[in-house]
Amino acid sequence: MLIDTYGRVATDLRVSLTDRCNLRCTYCMPEEGLQWLAKPDLLTDDEIVRLIDIAVRLLGVEEVRFTGGEPLLRPGLVGIVERVAALTPRPQMSLTTNGIGLRRTATALKAAGLDRVNVSLDTLRPDVFKTLTRRDRHQDVLDGLRAAHDAGLTPVKVNTVLMPGLNEDEAPDLLAWALDHAYELRFIEQMPLDAQHGWKRDSMVTAGDILASLSTRFDLTPEGADDRGSAPAERWLVNGGPHRVGVIASVTRPFCAACDRTRLTADGQIRTCLFAREETDLRGALRSGGSDEEIARIWRLAMWGKKAGAGLDDPSFIQPDRPMSAIGG
C-alpha cells in the first residue's frame, strides 16, 4: 500500500513514457522545444512494465494512466499496454494524448487492452489551435477523437484549457460540440507548469469564469461529493443529464486532500505530486539489481513523505523545476 502521513492512499499511477511532444503548446513549452532526455536515461519497455507490475502486485495500484510528453510517440506503446493488460491483478488503463496519432493507433491500442483515452483539445477553431500549439494539426486531433470513439476507447474524455484572449469565449461552443459527439468534456484551469514560467495567477481563466460562461446556454446541476470520490474533476449534469461536464480547478479549488496519485517520470523518478520539486530514484535501484521488494520499499518511503498540498493558492508558491512534458500530466 502507498499511504502517506495524511492517510491518503495512492491507487492511481501516472506513467510518463516520454518527455517528447509533437506540439508546442504555449502553456507547456517554448516554441523551440526543450532539452530532451537522453535515450539511456529513459526507462526501457521492460523496466516500465516491471515497475507497473510492482505497483499493482505489491503496492495496491488499481489504475494506470500513460502520459508524456506525448505517449503516442513511444515506439513500444502498444506492446507495453498489452503486457500490462496481462498483469495480475489487471489494472484499469487509460491514455492522455494530444490525439494526433490516434487515427492510426486507436484500434491497436484497444485490441492490446487499453480501456479509454483522454484527448487534449483547447479550441474548435483551426487558426486558434495553430496559435496555441504552434502546429497546424487541428484536423488530425478531430480525426483521432473519432477513431478513439469508433474503436471503443470510451468514454472519450476531452481536456480543454482556456486561455485569456485566445479561446476563453469558446466554453459553450465546446460543450455543445462534445454533447453532439458523445465526448465527456473537462475544462482544466491553466496550471503553472510552463517551462517559460510565464503563468500569472491573476490572468488565468478560473473555474468560476468557466461555469458562468457555460451557464449562459446550459442548465448545470452539480453532482454530489459521493459521486466525485477522489476524481480531480467536479462534474455537473448538463440540462438534467445524462451528459456531464467537468471542471478541474487545481488552482482555485484544490483537491489535494483527496489525491490518490503517484507519478513515474520517463526517466524513472517517483513524484508524489505534479508540483513537487523532490523526486525519488527508482531507475538506479532497477539497474543495480534491486529486488521487487526493495523497489517497493523505496516507493513506499517516497509516498510516506508526500506533502499535504501543492500550495498553488499561496503567493510564495515556487513552480516545479521540470515542465509538464517531463513529468507527465
Side-chain angles (χ1 to χ4, degrees), residues 16 30 34 62 73 76 88 91 120 130 135 140 183 187 189-190 202 204 278 290 294 302 317 319 324:
S16 175
L34 299 166
E62 300 171 352
L73 295 179
T88 302
S120 299
K130 188 173 182 179
R135 297 291 187 270
D140 292 324
Y183 304 146
F187 292 96
E189 287 183 337
Q190 184 195 2
D202 57 359
M204 60 174 285
E278 305 84 15
E294 173 62 14
F317 171 74
Q319 295 191 37
M324 184 161 55

Side-chain angles (χ1 to χ4, degrees), residues 109-316:
L109 286 168
K110 178 64 177 179
L114 192 69
D115 295 300
R116 62 172 189 81
V117 294
N118 287 25
V119 179
S120 299
L121 180 65
D122 300 324
T123 178
L124 298 176
R125 305 167 185 164
D127 59 325
V128 176
F129 182 91
K130 188 173 182 179
T131 298
L132 280 168
T133 68
R134 306 184 180 105
R135 297 291 187 270
D136 189 12
R137 307 296 298 271
H138 189 256
Q139 188 60 49
D140 292 324
V141 180
L142 297 180
D143 292 344
L145 279 161
R146 188 176 304 110
H149 183 272
D150 291 346
L153 292 169
T154 55
V156 175
K157 296 184 179 181
V158 177
N159 294 339
T160 296
V161 176
L162 297 181
M163 303 284 287
L166 285 173
N167 62 339
E168 63 184 321
D169 61 330
E170 286 195 68
D173 290 340
L174 281 159
L175 180 52
W177 166 82
L179 296 178
D180 286 344
H181 291 81
Y183 304 146
E184 184 174 323
L185 182 63
R186 308 192 311 171
F187 292 96
I188 304 176
E189 287 183 337
Q190 184 195 2
M191 294 179 283
L193 289 168
D194 57 309
Q196 311 92 292
H197 288 188
W199 178 84
K200 292 183 175 60
R201 169 67 177 81
D202 57 359
S203 64
M204 60 174 285
V205 180
T206 67
D209 298 331
I210 294 165
L211 292 170
S213 179
L214 293 176
S215 295
T216 63
R217 283 173 55 183
F218 301 95
D219 179 30
L220 303 180
T221 305
E223 284 191 335
D226 291 341
D227 294 311
R228 181 181 184 184
S230 60
E234 293 181 76
R235 298 199 306 179
W236 284 260
L237 292 172
V238 180
N239 297 336
H243 299 293
R244 294 169 173 80
V245 63
V247 178
I248 300 177
S250 302
V251 178
T252 62
R253 305 180 187 181
F255 41 86
C256 299
C259 181
D260 65 349
R261 299 180 186 181
T262 183
R263 298 177 181 276
L264 178 65
T265 67
D267 55 349
Q269 310 300 305
I270 289 299
R271 284 213 168 202
T272 60
C273 173
L274 188 60
F275 300 96
R277 294 181 66 82
E278 305 84 15
E279 297 178 334
T280 301
D281 180 32
L282 293 186
R283 185 186 64 199
L286 275 174
R287 295 182 179 178
S288 63
S291 67
D292 289 358
E293 290 72 19
E294 173 62 14
I295 292 167
R297 185 189 68 82
I298 296 170
W299 205 328
R300 288 190 192 98
L301 284 174
M303 294 305 295
W304 183 252
K306 183 173 181 173
K307 295 181 179 179
L312 301 187
D313 52 355
D314 185 340
S316 64

Side-chain angles (χ1 to χ4, degrees), residues 18-20 34-42 265-267 283 322 326:
T18 178
D19 59 331
R20 297 173 183 265
L34 299 166
Q35 183 66 46
W36 308 122
L37 292 167
K39 187 173 181 179
D41 294 334
L42 293 171
T265 67
D267 55 349
R283 185 186 64 199
R322 290 219 270 176

